[in-house]
Amino acid sequence: MTDRPPLPPFTRETAVQKVQAAEDAWNTRDPQRVALAYSPDSQWRNRGTFVTGRAEIVECLTAKWARERECALRRDLWAFDGNRIAVRFQYECQDTDGQCWRAYGNELWEFDEHGLMTRREASINDVPIEEN
């Protein structure tokens, strides 16, 4: 298995690097690239959706980004300990009907010894952006 640095246990510096790498990958909107950061059996909870494994992650992200345009994600490190990182984020996009949205949330991440994310728990609130 290929390592995906930085590896746990995380320091403040390496946790910030991991968060930035995840943000950069997500903003490519390339499901294959994003999925490489996860272990083959990674588990997600994304709102009310439960996903297991890279193939399902790719499927989930492909469907998500087919419904969204003009996307931008910003993540900030909230906390870290050992092989875990917590982030808060803001995500903006426009749906296929032209409605703009802002999502706020928290993500809890857990990593294996290779630096691959094995678990992602996301709690997300969507807010419509009014035209005015």
Side-chain angles (χ1 to χ4, degrees):
M1 181 165 295
T2 304
D3 285 347
R4 189 103 175 172
L7 307 177
F10 298 110
T11 64
R12 174 164 288 287
E13 179 182 355
T14 60
V16 167
Q17 290 171 359
K18 198 67 150 177
V19 171
Q20 187 63 57
E23 178 184 308
D24 293 345
W26 194 272
N27 281 325
T28 68
R29 298 182 66 210
D30 179 345
Q32 297 290 339
R33 178 177 173 188
V34 173
L36 291 175
Y38 297 88
S39 67
D41 59 349
S42 186
Q43 296 180 357
W44 277 23
R45 181 187 61 79
N46 193 72
R47 295 179 173 91
T49 302
F50 296 85
V51 175
T52 301
R54 284 185 181 158
E56 288 185 21
I57 290 169
V58 169
E59 185 179 311
C60 178
L61 293 177
T62 299
K64 171 185 178 49
W65 288 324
R67 298 184 308 266
E68 299 175 352
R69 303 178 294 191
E70 308 291 328
C71 303
L73 170 70
R74 299 293 171 256
R75 285 182 169 133
D76 294 304
L77 176 65
W78 194 351
F80 67 95
D81 184 42
N83 69 332
R84 294 182 176 146
I85 295 176
V87 299
R88 54 188 168 196
F89 68 87
Q90 177 179 311
Y91 182 74
E92 293 183 357
C93 67
Q94 183 181 56
D95 66 24
T96 54
D97 295 327
Q99 174 65 54
C100 293
W101 295 88
R102 182 172 296 125
Y104 296 99
N106 304 306
E107 294 178 336
L108 306 175
W109 301 343
E110 189 170 339
F111 296 87
D112 66 15
E113 66 277 9
H114 300 285
L116 296 171
M117 195 181 301
T118 58
R119 188 167 192 84
R120 175 182 173 262
E121 301 272 339
S123 181
I124 305 166
N125 295 318
D126 294 312
V127 178
I129 299 173
E130 301 301 326
E131 194 171 320
N132 59 4

